[in-house]
Amino acid sequence: QQQVKQSPQSLIVQKGGISIINCAYENTAFDYFPWYQQFPGKGPALLIAIRPDVSEKKEGRFTISFNKSAKQFSLHIMDSQPGDSATYFCAASKETSGSRLTFGEGTQLTVNP
Amino acid sequence: GAGVSQSPRYKVAKRGQDVALRCDPISGHVSLFWYQQALGQGPEFLTYFQNEAQLDKSGLPSDRFFAERPEGSVSTLKIQRTQQEDSAVYLCASSPRRVRSTGELFFGEGSRLTVL
């Protein structure tokens, strides 16, 4: 049962461009939506997170847009850099399950110089 | 170091062997999670501890998988009679938060298990 669906599977962007990754969820009980970044051979690391009481959160070049009615959220990376090349995972969790995360399938981002 | 430490980083096992994977969480972190990450996939939840109590083991794929955290710090994930489908990266994560709260998980670099 895939509760969090992520697209695209891979993404190639030119340096300076905007990278957009989308996720959709099914469980309306989810109340915390983080994005994790993973480099090869490393564990995932938290990038940015949002709760459903806001529609957008921005931290530097990274922005989460959240649409509660559509049960969708997305990550926007502005001014993409080669150092942003990594795999990005959206995730979701609900308070009643603590910090247990349900992850999407991942998006492999390549930013060309 | 101050991060989550996992060992071994790489393990090759013959089918049928037992393996044990260790996780040292960040000091003082109450919650500890194990995830399984297959190649090219997102991490999938295995089990969760709050201190020494295993509060959720619903993600363990079979009774060959067993996890413990006897003193509320270091945790061990044991896989008995390994099968080829057990080949994956096993990620450990810790959090300072207790159940009924959400927040950042701090992941280790994982233990890559290859079953021949």
Side-chain angles (χ1 to χ4, degrees), chain A residues 97-110:
Chain A
S97 63
S99 297
R100 169 179 174 172
L101 293 170
T102 299
F103 284 88
E105 303 96 322
T107 296
Q108 187 168 349
L109 172 65
T110 301

Side-chain angles (χ1 to χ4, degrees), chain B residues 15-94:
Chain B
R15 187 166 58 91
Q17 282 185 332
D18 298 348
V19 300
L21 308 176
R22 176 187 170 103
C23 173
D24 278 276
I26 294 173
S27 178
H29 276 197
V30 171
S31 297
L32 185 145
F33 298 78
W34 285 98
Y35 284 81
Q36 180 189 58
Q37 186 174 25
L39 187 65
Q41 300 294 315
E44 294 205 1
F45 171 81
L46 294 177
T47 187
Y48 161 62
F49 291 85
Q50 182 174 300
N51 295 312
E52 69 279 1
Q54 189 174 20
L55 299 185
D56 187 347
K57 55 181 181 180
S58 62
L60 296 175
S62 76
D63 59 6
R64 297 186 295 104
F65 286 71
F66 172 77
E68 59 182 5
R69 195 187 185 196
E71 298 179 356
S73 56
V74 171
S75 178
T76 304
L77 176 67
K78 297 179 179 179
I79 308 173
Q80 297 177 324
R81 304 180 304 281
T82 53
Q83 303 295 313
Q84 284 189 328
E85 61 263 29
D86 300 334
S87 296
V89 175
Y90 290 86
L91 294 166
C92 177
S94 69

Side-chain angles (χ1 to χ4, degrees), chain A residues 22 37 39 41-42 44 49 51 63 74 79 82 88 94-96:
Chain A
N22 301 298
Q37 179 189 55
F39 292 102
K42 303 295 185 182
R51 297 186 188 274
T63 300
S74 60
D79 187 26
Y88 293 81
K94 52 186 178 180
E95 186 184 57
T96 54

Side-chain angles (χ1 to χ4, degrees), chain A residues 29-79:
Chain A
F30 286 144
D31 56 11
Y32 175 69
F33 302 89
W35 284 88
Y36 278 77
Q37 179 189 55
Q38 186 175 30
F39 292 102
K42 303 295 185 182
L46 180 67
L47 193 61
I48 186 172
I50 197 168
R51 297 186 188 274
D53 52 343
V54 297
S55 60
E56 185 175 282
K57 182 174 182 181
K58 183 176 181 179
E59 291 184 0
R61 297 185 294 109
F62 302 94
T63 300
I64 298 180
S65 297
F66 184 80
N67 185 329
K68 187 174 182 178
S69 61
K71 294 188 288 184
Q72 294 176 347
F73 58 110
S74 60
L75 175 69
H76 290 63
I77 305 174
M78 310 299 290
D79 187 26

Side-chain angles (χ1 to χ4, degrees), chain A residues 83-98:
Chain A
D84 297 331
S85 297
T87 301
Y88 293 81
F89 294 97
C90 61
S93 69
K94 52 186 178 180
E95 186 184 57
T96 54
S97 63

